[in-house]
Each structure stands twice: as C-alpha cells, then as structure tokens.
Amino acid sequence: MKAALVALLLSCCAAAAAAQQDFEATVTHVSDGDTLWVRTVAEPAAPRGRRLKLRLRGLDAPERCQPHGERATAALARQVLGRRVAVHGEARDSHGRLLAVLSLDGDDVGAWLVGQGHAWSARWHGDPGPYAGEEAAARRARRGLFAEPEPEPPRDFRRRHGPCP
C-alpha cells in the first residue's frame, strides 16, 4: 500500500513538472482575446519549431461574438502578432491548450490586456485573480469594456448564449 502511494505521488509530481514549460516563441495567430498560437524557437528536435495553442492564464477575455470581443482580439493581435515572446506554461486546460503567462520585452501581456480593459482578471472561488489590481484600475478609468455600466463576464455570456458560432 505504501509503495503504491509513493508511486502515485511520484507520477503526479512528474506530470506536474512535465506540464511546466518555459520557452521562447513567435506568435503566429490570435484566435480571440485570450487564445493564440505560437511557433517555438527552433530546437534540434524540431528545427522549424513546434506550433502550440496557448490560453492566457489568469484572465478571461470576452467571447468574439459578445460586445468588445472583436476589440479584445484585435488589441491582443496588435500587441503580440508576429512578435517573439517568452512563454511560461503551467498546465493544460480541458481543451488541451497550454495555460501560459506571456511576456513581451519583459512585460506581462495578461497584465497589459486586463489593464487596458480588454479582459477580466480570472476569479476562482472568491479569489479575485492575479490581475485584480489591473482590473480595478481599468474599471476606475472606464477603459475598454469597463466603459460599459455592467459588462457581462464571458462565463455568464456563455451560460446564457452558448459558445460563439
């Protein structure tokens, strides 16, 4: 029993370590305000680099078909498309996307996106999320989607309307 528990713990730790990835990549496509595609910098095992789909960790941008969705997508594209970024991947989401924090020239892209009013800080069970300060500042300044009196968070929008076509 004890050996089985130790084996289980070791496999969990190995899986968590394998999920954490730090690398540099070029952004090749922006799907929406919090999802994008990158191509890793060339490496011996993949001389052209690998293509990966990423989900920005710690924030939730409007769906493309909801108010401000296209603006959030365009803002992210203007900021990172075709640019080299540092990626800190931490896990995979239920859709298989790598959950990652992106840095552009040393600046956190998620913090910028939320601070400009293009996304909400991700909340979880009462935790205001990693970008709560940026969101509060964007709300006070009425930037982006926070110019609206009561912008609808994406999770509520999906619950009421389902996924975008």
Side-chain angles (χ1 to χ4, degrees):
M1 177 73 171
K2 187 176 181 181
L5 181 59
V6 169
L8 177 64
L9 287 172
L10 287 175
S11 69
C12 289
C13 292
Q20 186 168 332
Q21 302 176 34
D22 293 306
F23 56 90
E24 290 194 359
T26 300
V27 177
T28 60
H29 178 74
V30 173
S31 301
D32 61 29
D34 53 26
T35 306
L36 46 88
W37 285 85
V38 298
R39 183 174 296 281
T40 62
V41 173
E43 54 196 57
R48 288 190 53 224
R50 293 173 289 147
R51 284 200 49 178
L52 296 169
K53 189 174 188 179
L54 307 180
R55 167 79 162 70
L56 295 178
R57 184 178 179 275
L59 60 92
D60 200 5
E63 297 297 317
R64 286 186 77 142
C65 61
Q66 90 176 87
H68 202 82
E70 289 294 333
R71 283 179 275 170
T73 302
L76 181 59
R78 278 192 309 275
Q79 190 73 0
V80 299
L81 190 59
R83 309 237 0 233
R84 192 166 174 166
V85 295
V87 178
H88 177 71
E90 298 180 351
R92 297 229 175 240
D93 69 5
S94 60
H95 302 288
R97 300 173 295 190
L98 182 65
L99 292 171
V101 174
L102 254 60
S103 296
L104 176 66
D105 300 327
D107 294 325
D108 184 336
V109 173
W112 175 83
L113 203 60
V114 175
Q116 293 301 307
H118 298 300
W120 286 261
S121 180
R123 291 161 176 71
W124 184 254
H125 295 292
D127 180 341
Y131 303 120
E134 289 86 349
E135 181 180 321
R139 283 179 182 277
R140 281 191 304 274
R142 301 186 56 77
R143 276 190 222 110
L145 61 91
F146 300 114
E148 297 297 320
E150 291 191 37
E152 183 176 25
R155 69 182 172 278
D156 296 342
F157 181 85
R158 288 187 298 269
R159 194 175 308 127
R160 287 182 347 100
H161 301 285
C164 292

